[in-house]
Structures are given as structure tokens and as C-alpha cells.
Amino acid sequence: MNLLEAVNAYMAVNTLMEREMDFDSAYKLAGLKRELEPHAMFYAGEENKLVQKYAKKNERGEPVFTKPGVFAFADGAKSVEFERARGELGAVEISEEIHRICVKRPERITPAAVEALYDLVTFEEA
């Protein structure tokens, strides 16, 4: 599993965290979140370093965001370099094995969450 896959799985688990479910499923999802969290936090920190490197800065030296999650480049020609560096970061393989879990199928879930959890979660009939 690479960092980007771990981040996507972490975000998908977070979408399920506020849903009420049976104890065993809730416990397993909380455990999976704990396994994925260090990888997601590492990715976020490294991605932030890339933003700091490539972003246009305001008078306080902070990145200028054009909308949430989208920053202005200090040099527009560097956008390709940024995307390459972020792609390399996401492709880094994580060394720990993330344990597959089996939980009861939620009543509703997005296809994106299913895809992100496909290799980590088996959803069984409720």
C-alpha cells in the first residue's frame, strides 16, 4: 500500500466514524483508523512542506489560497514540478502491513469510500 492509498482509506474511515453501528464493527473501524492515521499525518505534513515551497506568499509569509485546498503558485511554471513531487510522495510504499477487517455493511456508503477501503475492509451482510 502506498501513502496516497492510506490517506484515501483514512478519509473513507473518517466518513464512517460518525455513523452508529454495532460495537464490533465500530471497534474494528476505530482500530483501522489508528493504523492509518500516522501515515495520513505524515503525508499531510510532507504535502504542507511542498505547499510552503511552491506557493505564492502573502505579506505575512503564508501561502495564498484561491479557494479551500487550492493555492496560488509563486511561479506558475513550477506547478508541474509540484505535481510531480506530490505524486512521488503519494507513491511511497508504507512498510507496515495494514490489517484487513470485516465489518457489517453500512446502510449507505459512497462508491469512493468503498473503493478506498476495498483492500482493507470486507463488508458483510448486516
Side-chain angles (χ1 to χ4, degrees):
M1 170 176 276
N2 66 37
L3 272 175
L4 188 56
E5 291 167 334
V7 168
N8 290 337
Y10 178 77
M11 292 186 323
V13 168
N14 276 331
T15 66
L16 297 174
M17 292 299 288
E18 293 302 317
R19 295 179 183 213
E20 204 168 293
M21 59 186 68
D22 66 283
F23 177 81
D24 287 340
S25 294
Y27 188 82
K28 289 174 185 176
L29 279 171
L32 180 58
K33 180 182 179 219
R34 284 183 174 214
E35 281 190 78
L36 294 167
E37 191 165 37
H39 306 294
M41 295 303 106
F42 174 77
Y43 180 89
E46 294 301 306
E47 184 181 46
N48 187 51
K49 289 177 188 175
L50 291 173
V51 169
Q52 293 297 327
K53 179 178 177 180
Y54 292 103
K56 178 180 180 181
K57 307 283 192 325
N58 64 19
E59 60 279 349
R60 295 183 305 271
E62 301 164 336
V64 174
F65 287 89
T66 57
K67 59 184 177 180
V70 179
F71 66 90
F73 285 93
D75 176 356
K78 297 286 188 174
S79 65
V80 172
E81 191 176 319
F82 169 78
E83 290 299 333
R84 180 196 50 76
R86 189 168 68 166
E88 288 174 2
L89 172 63
V92 169
E93 289 294 319
I94 61 174
S95 57
E96 297 90 35
E97 180 183 349
I98 306 297
H99 299 94
R100 186 175 187 87
I101 62 171
C102 183
V103 299
K104 291 195 174 144
R105 185 183 311 187
E107 186 176 315
R108 301 183 63 81
I109 189 170
T110 65
V114 171
E115 180 181 35
L117 297 172
Y118 197 82
D119 292 328
L120 296 174
V121 178
T122 300
F123 293 102
E124 63 183 23
E125 293 290 331

